Amino acid sequence: MQKSSEKTIVHFIGVAMVCITALSAAEPLRFPPDAGFYNVRDYGAAGDGSTDDTKEITDAIMDSPVDFTRPKVLYFPAGTYVVSDRIFMFYVGNTNSCCLTIQGQGPGHSIVKLRNSCDTYTDPSSKKPIFQTSGGNEAFRYSVFDITINVGSGNPGAVGIDYVANNMGSIENVHVISEDGQGHTGIDMTRAWPGPLLIKNVFIDGFKYGIHVMNAEYGPTFEHITLQNQSVAGIFNQGNTLSMRKITSTNTVPAISQDGGMCILLESELSNGSSSRSAVEIHSGVLYARDISSSGYGNTITCNGGNVSGTVDEYVSHPHKTLFGDPASSLGLPIQDPPSDFHDNDLANWGNVNHYTLVNAFGNEMPDIQEAMYSGKSTIYLPTRRSVSYPIYWDLYIPPNVKAVIGFEALLGGGTDERPVRIYTEGDTDDPLFIIGPIDISVHEFVHASSRPLIIKHAGIPVIRNEPGAGSIYLEDVIAHLELTDGQWVWARQLNSESVANEGAGTTKITNDGSYLWILGIKTEGDGPVARTMSGGSTEILGSLIYPTSFFVDSVWDKAAFINNESCHSFVLSHSNYSSERMTYRYIARETREGTTSTMAIDQLDNNKRFMPLYVGDKGCTVPTPPPEPAITYVPGPARTQNDIPGNTNQSGGSIRTLVSTLPGRAGIIPVTVPPGASGFYIFNARGQKIRTYIKKPSLQPETVGVPAGICRGISFVRIVKR
């Protein structure tokens, strides 16, 4: 139904960056040279536009295994890298291979180009990619950023990238080009099983298909995609669930073609069509469309035999579902785009956490991440570390002068159930804070406690929650559970909320307690409610997949996937369950309105419990105007010390200058007594500068820690730290 009407390394992992230092759009992105990248030029790649670099690029990948604990960023400095064969983006022979990122200096600067009329790419009936990830459902953390992939000319069998990523993975700020338009597919996702993943800010020119997707799982998300000059279809879906927004297509053929599956299409412009075709052709399956315009085509939508012309305000291909007679209209929450990524090309403003060190109770030096945060640097980065994560032992605070925290395929974590560790944003400023990966953050929770906007991209975090008065949150390609309160605004693209580790506990993945949540593309696993909305909050979900995978015990089976208590929610999505009825939800929705509670069984989904074309539970909630979309300014902040950490109680441990002065230049150990409950101590020099940090697990008894006398010469005092 329709509703009328230099060998310098550059950019971190993410989309096209708008630099704060008035960087022109044409200038290559810059990175610090100690980011831990695998630079293909270090393996002999020429990048001169004529030398065949296939072997050298492969050597950089195969130099060492690539997996969860040994991730890799493959860096392409500006240049044109000619190839003549497929590049496997994984360590061949390692069945657990994952976690590889391709990083360029920007499309048009870093180019990988297939040699023209390359022998094994000339057969149009036998497609072959330039890049190929691993496949299956464990193709974790494969990403491609800031690069051009050009299949050349005379290569009708060529595919730009054969792409599968699961749970977290992205293609962003990438151009995929077929010079003569005759290439096979720009981005091919026909192998099992693509998603959840995010494809954003991608330009595809030429090819039979711009993007081709198959299989029922796991729901890829697309946003800001530009398609032109395809010969069969811009995007062709065969069975998957695609969540799409801001698709711009200039094609005579259909922009969207579907044979089975589900498409969610928002705010798209589809132009230059043939009058004999439709902009969106759904031969079978489900379509939800909103705010779609077309020109040149005979119809905007042809769906299962019916036609819709003109501008489409809202269209649902199948009858909607509701428990209280609500009309067939999604909530339509205001949608905001996150600001362009913060990327400062002045590397003097970048701080490497490895340049700030502390010493643990065993005498081992390690990065002092808190000290890096308070260093005055505006970009704090975590270089790739293979086989070692970055540990944090206390709560970590991100001050307002930090504009970006960047992990280059980094692992960060700490804490236990008995002594949880959290990360807090702090301070009041209008400047957004960017947390950008790929990065895995294994702490108890990430707490947004600042009024500044927060953007988290390409990150895995157990729980994200807000404190009252926190600024807007933008999530892209994130693994997390959400706990939202007090009128919080959140916009999420590709949110993966899994809870297999808590199987049987019935953990709620998203709690919306009086807040406003918009999601384009969600994927879940495990039991427990997907989303619980209460206290007058509003939750709008547009795609993608509920995939329970767990046995639901009695106490959990009686819960619903979506719970609405005197609030508002709407959702469009698909559901996969290949086992018994106890391996999925009993109810798709439970809603309480004015004291009356109703439930909807899971078998009310269309096509054998497969699709929810649109569910509406809208009691007419009041939705305030969201805060304005954030802009970026650059104001460097002052350096701070560990003493400025909120909640940090410092107690003087007394001067040990006399003890040290008796041992000038001698080997030995200076004893420092740490009182009960303390977490360690700092050592300061005569100028009051902290020169060492010692950490330990708090104890109920006083403990003595030995400090090497060589370190202690010239110190002024020791400060005991309690947490």
Side-chain angles (χ1 to χ4, degrees):
M1 47 192 78
Q2 180 183 354
K3 222 176 144 181
S4 55
S5 101
E6 236 193 88
K7 195 167 131 177
T8 303
I9 302 182
V10 256
H11 168 110
F12 119 173
I13 318 249
V15 287
M17 298 270 181
V18 177
C19 277
I20 303 316
T21 54
L23 179 69
S24 71
E27 185 174 348
L29 298 164
R30 303 185 65 227
F31 297 101
D34 58 357
F37 292 176
Y38 282 69
N39 188 329
V40 296
R41 296 213 173 180
D42 291 341
Y43 292 83
D48 59 8
S50 59
T51 303
D52 191 326
D53 292 323
T54 307
K55 179 182 181 301
E56 288 73 18
I57 295 170
T58 300
D59 287 347
I61 296 172
M62 293 296 293
D63 174 77
S64 56
V66 187
D67 53 36
F68 266 120
T69 62
R70 294 171 293 186
K72 182 177 289 188
V73 178
L74 191 70
Y75 175 59
F76 288 81
T80 298
Y81 300 85
V82 175
V83 296
S84 58
D85 205 349
R86 178 186 345 232
I87 305 292
F88 290 103
M89 289 175 57
F90 54 91
Y91 189 81
V92 178
N94 184 353
T95 57
N96 295 318
S97 188
C98 69
C99 313
L100 185 138
T101 292
I102 288 177
Q103 178 64 57
Q105 292 192 241
H109 295 291
S110 299
I111 302 167
V112 177
K113 183 181 182 299
L114 182 63
R115 190 177 297 282
N116 293 339
S117 302
C118 197
D119 288 346
T120 58
Y121 290 86
T122 56
D123 183 356
S125 65
S126 179
K127 63 183 181 181
K128 182 178 179 180
I130 295 179
F131 287 107
Q132 179 177 322
T133 66
S134 65
N137 59 0
E138 295 185 351
F140 305 122
R141 289 200 353 224
Y142 283 107
S143 294
V144 181
F145 298 125
D146 306 305
I147 200 166
T148 293
I149 301 173
N150 186 336
V151 304
S153 61
N155 295 311
V159 170
I161 178 169
D162 182 340
Y163 186 61
V164 176
N166 304 124
N167 292 5
M168 185 170 77
S170 185
I171 299 177
E172 289 197 52
N173 195 28
V174 170
H175 294 179
V176 188
I177 309 296
S178 173
E179 289 184 351
D180 60 1
Q182 301 302 307
H184 194 286
T185 305
I187 300 176
D188 188 296
M189 294 190 287
T190 58
R191 288 185 299 128
W193 290 279
L197 57 86
L198 176 65
I199 297 181
K200 182 176 179 180
N201 292 350
V202 170
F203 170 80
I204 304 176
D205 185 10
F207 302 97
K208 292 172 62 176
Y209 304 100
I211 300 171
H212 187 186
V213 188
M214 292 178 63
N215 299 292
E217 286 83 30
Y218 292 98
T221 300
F222 305 84
E223 192 174 36
H224 294 288
I225 308 297
T226 300
L227 303 159
Q228 64 183 39
N229 300 319
Q230 280 77 54
S231 61
V232 177
I235 298 175
F236 183 30
N237 180 36
Q238 291 181 288
N240 218 308
T241 299
L242 311 188
S243 303
M244 300 178 286
R245 176 176 175 262
K246 295 285 187 180
I247 306 298
T248 301
S249 173
T250 305
N251 274 301
T252 58
V253 299
I256 311 292
S257 180
Q258 175 172 284
D259 284 336
M262 184 180 205
C263 279
I264 298 99
L265 182 64
L266 311 177
E267 300 178 36
S268 295
E269 298 180 4
L270 318 175
S271 63
N272 202 46
S274 166
S275 61
S276 64
R277 305 297 298 269
S278 296
V280 179
E281 294 186 346
I282 307 299
H283 305 290
S284 62
V286 176
L287 172 66
Y288 175 85
R290 192 170 80 200
D291 298 327
I292 311 300
S293 65
S294 70
S295 63
Y297 291 100
N299 296 288
T300 302
I301 296 173
T302 294
C303 183
N304 302 325
N307 296 320
V308 180
S309 59
T311 299
V312 175
D313 293 335
E314 189 168 14
Y315 174 92
V316 188
S317 63
H318 293 63
H320 79 297
K321 314 288 184 182
T322 180
L323 288 167
F324 288 91
D326 299 319
S329 182
S330 184
L331 294 188
L333 294 179
I335 302 173
Q336 286 191 2
D337 286 297
S340 299
D341 291 355
F342 178 90
H343 188 90
D344 189 350
N345 256 18
D346 184 353
L347 299 182
N349 295 325
W350 290 55
N352 182 339
V353 297
N354 292 314
H355 295 169
Y356 306 86
T357 60
L358 57 80
V359 181
N360 66 15
F362 302 100
N364 300 317
E365 287 195 356
M366 58 187 62
D368 189 340
I369 298 173
Q370 187 64 76
E371 191 75 359
M373 294 293 176
Y374 285 164
S375 66
K377 301 291 187 180
S378 57
T379 296
I380 304 301
Y381 65 102
L382 292 79
T384 306
R385 297 179 83 189
R386 292 172 61 79
S387 303
V388 181
S389 64
Y390 290 92
I392 51 176
Y393 295 90
W394 303 320
D395 291 344
L396 183 69
Y397 294 85
I398 305 176
N401 66 281
V402 172
K403 310 304 179 187
V405 178
I406 298 174
F408 296 110
E409 280 287 5
L411 308 175
L412 170 68
T416 63
D417 290 341
E418 295 76 22
R419 189 170 180 268
V421 169
R422 296 172 174 85
I423 298 177
Y424 290 88
T425 62
E426 62 168 348
D428 294 328
T429 175
D430 293 331
D431 286 342
L433 169 64
F434 292 86
I435 310 294
I436 312 179
I439 184 169
D440 187 78
I441 303 175
S442 298
V443 296
H444 183 67
E445 57 186 5
F446 190 108
V447 183
H448 187 28
S450 166
S451 63
R452 67 193 307 194
L454 172 65
I455 300 94
I456 303 178
K457 304 180 59 163
H458 319 304
I461 304 172
V463 177
I464 299 171
R465 71 171 176 88
N466 70 289
E467 291 190 351
S472 300
I473 298 175
Y474 304 83
L475 306 175
E476 296 189 346
D477 187 27
V478 168
I479 304 171
H481 286 202
L482 305 182
E483 296 179 1
L484 311 175
T485 61
D486 197 57
Q488 180 68 46
W489 277 94
V490 178
W491 291 271
R493 282 95 169 158
Q494 203 298 82
L495 176 66
N496 182 31
S497 295
E498 299 190 7
S499 60
V500 175
N502 297 319
E503 189 171 322
T507 304
T508 300
K509 299 166 180 60
I510 297 170
T511 300
N512 178 352
D513 188 359
S515 295
Y516 310 98
L517 171 64
W518 178 89
I519 300 175
L520 179 70
I522 186 173
K523 186 259 185 175
T524 71
E525 288 189 18
D527 58 16
V530 173
R532 184 188 302 268
T533 307
M534 63 190 82
S535 304
S538 294
T539 300
E540 182 177 21
I541 298 176
L542 296 154
S544 293
L545 177 68
I546 300 173
Y547 189 65
T549 70
S550 301
F551 181 83
F552 283 55
V553 299
D554 289 346
S555 60
V556 175
W557 194 49
D558 198 46
K559 298 180 181 180
F562 296 90
I563 300 171
N564 177 5
N565 187 5
E566 305 293 352
S567 299
C568 294
H569 67 177
S570 64
F571 50 91
V572 181
L573 44 77
S574 61
H575 164 258
S576 289
N577 173 39
Y578 300 108
S579 302
S580 69
E581 66 174 8
R582 294 300 293 265
M583 293 290 287
T584 190
Y585 299 92
R586 183 177 183 182
Y587 303 108
I588 185 65
R590 175 179 283 115
E591 190 166 344
T592 300
R593 187 177 298 184
E594 297 180 359
T596 300
T597 299
S598 296
T599 57
M600 180 176 292
I602 194 76
D603 59 14
Q604 292 299 299
L605 271 64
D606 291 343
N607 194 19
N608 192 27
K609 299 189 289 188
R610 173 65 177 154
F611 299 115
M612 175 59 77
L614 173 64
Y615 176 91
V616 182
D618 185 359
K619 65 175 298 228
C621 299
T622 299
V623 177
T625 301
E629 292 189 358
I632 302 175
T633 58
Y634 175 61
V635 181
R640 301 170 66 186
T641 71
Q642 292 264 13
N643 300 332
D644 300 318
I645 301 174
N648 191 5
T649 302
N650 299 315
Q651 298 179 345
S652 174
S655 173
I656 59 173
R657 179 181 298 176
T658 303
L659 292 176
V660 176
S661 65
T662 62
L663 298 170
R666 291 174 52 192
I669 298 295
I670 303 299
V672 175
T673 299
V674 182
S679 300
F681 56 91
Y682 303 129
I683 298 177
F684 294 81
N685 64 19
R687 296 187 300 276
Q689 297 171 324
K690 184 175 73 68
I691 58 174
R692 284 291 187 274
T693 301
Y694 281 73
I695 58 174
K696 59 178 284 296
K697 184 176 181 180
S699 172
L700 297 178
Q701 303 297 325
E703 294 185 56
T704 299
V705 177
V707 180
I711 291 177
C712 294
R713 280 180 297 163
I715 71 165
S716 176
F717 60 90
V718 168
R719 178 166 289 149
I720 302 299
V721 180
K722 285 190 174 182
R723 278 287 194 198

